[in-house]
Amino acid sequence: MKIIKKLLKYVAILILVLISYVLIMLSLPLISVNENVTENPKEIPIYILTNGVHTDIVLPLKNEHEDWSNQLKFEHTIAKDTTHNYVALGWGDKGFYLETPTWADLKVSTALKAASGLSSSAMHVTFYKTMNENASCKKLLISPENYTKLISFINESFQSNSGEFLKIETNAVYGKNDVFYEANGSYSLFYTCNSWANQALKAANQKAALWTVTDSGIFRHYP
C-alpha cells in the first residue's frame, strides 16, 4: 500500500509539472519584447524562416559588416555552389539533427537526451540564392548597430578552434546546399531550436517572445 501511495504521489507530481510546463509554454510566448524599439537606419534585410517546426535566422551571405563565406564554406556542401546570396542558420540538438531525418526515426534515447539537456548541439547552415516572403518567411529590416549585435550572438553559438568553425563530418545533411557545424550550448525542454532563434532576435533588439520553445511563439509577433 505504501508503494502504491508513493507511486501515486510521483505520478501526481509529474502531472502537475507537465501541466505547469504547458501553461508556461502557452502563456509566455504571448508576451512581446522589443515591441517599440526605435532603429535608424533600418537598412539591412534579414529573415526568419520556419519549416513548420524549426526556425532559422537568414542573413545576407556578404555585406560590409560580415562575410559569412569566410567561415561557412561552400566547399563543405555537396553542391559546392558559390552563387548563393543568403545563409540560413539554425541551432539545435545534435542527435535530432544527425540521427532523426524523419519523426519515424526518432529514438527514445535521443528524445530523452534532448529533453534533459544532456546531449550536445549543432549549427545547421543552409545556403540560398533567393528568399521569398510568405507566411513561413518574414523579412525584417534592421540597423547596422543591431545587425552587429546579431552577428556577435551567432558567432558565439559556434564552436571554433583557432578562429575556425568546426565542421561536423556527416552524410546526414538535408540536401546539396547545407552543412553542420559544432555548436555551444545544450538543447532542453526549456531551450529549443526556436528558443535560440528567439534569443537571436532579442539580441538584435527585434520583436520577439519573452520566452518560447515553438516557432509559432516567434511568428505570432510577425503577422
Side-chain angles (χ1 to χ4, degrees), residues 43-46 58-75 81-89 127-129 147 151:
E43 58 187 18
I44 300 175
I46 69 170
V58 187
L59 309 176
L61 184 62
K62 301 178 183 181
N63 61 20
E64 61 184 296
H65 305 284
E66 185 75 8
D67 183 350
W68 291 103
S69 65
N70 290 329
Q71 289 278 26
L72 311 175
K73 302 182 185 299
F74 297 122
E75 57 263 33
D81 187 345
T82 62
T83 63
H84 293 89
N85 299 306
Y86 298 93
V87 59
L89 303 113
F127 296 101
Y128 290 95
K129 293 184 179 181
Y147 186 68
I151 291 171

Side-chain angles (χ1 to χ4, degrees), residues 11-116:
V11 169
I13 291 173
L14 178 60
I15 292 174
L16 181 60
V17 169
L18 290 175
I19 291 174
S20 298
Y21 178 78
V22 171
L23 289 175
I24 292 171
M25 187 177 69
L26 293 175
S27 60
L28 291 189
L30 301 178
I31 303 173
S32 179
V33 298
N34 298 332
E35 187 73 37
N36 299 310
V37 172
T38 301
E39 293 184 271
N40 189 34
K42 296 173 69 172
E43 58 187 18
I44 300 175
I46 69 170
Y47 298 82
I48 50 175
L49 175 68
T50 180
N51 63 3
V53 177
H54 168 91
T55 305
D56 280 345
I57 302 294
V58 187
L59 309 176
L61 184 62
K62 301 178 183 181
N63 61 20
E64 61 184 296
H65 305 284
E66 185 75 8
D67 183 350
W68 291 103
S69 65
N70 290 329
Q71 289 278 26
L72 311 175
K73 302 182 185 299
F74 297 122
E75 57 263 33
H76 288 168
T77 67
I78 294 173
K80 297 178 174 54
D81 187 345
T82 62
T83 63
H84 293 89
N85 299 306
Y86 298 93
V87 59
L89 303 113
W91 176 96
D93 180 76
K94 190 174 181 179
F96 267 123
Y97 271 143
L98 304 184
E99 301 170 14
T100 315
T102 68
W103 287 111
D105 298 300
L106 179 61
K107 300 176 183 177
V108 173
S109 58
T110 300
L112 289 176
K113 283 183 180 179
S116 63

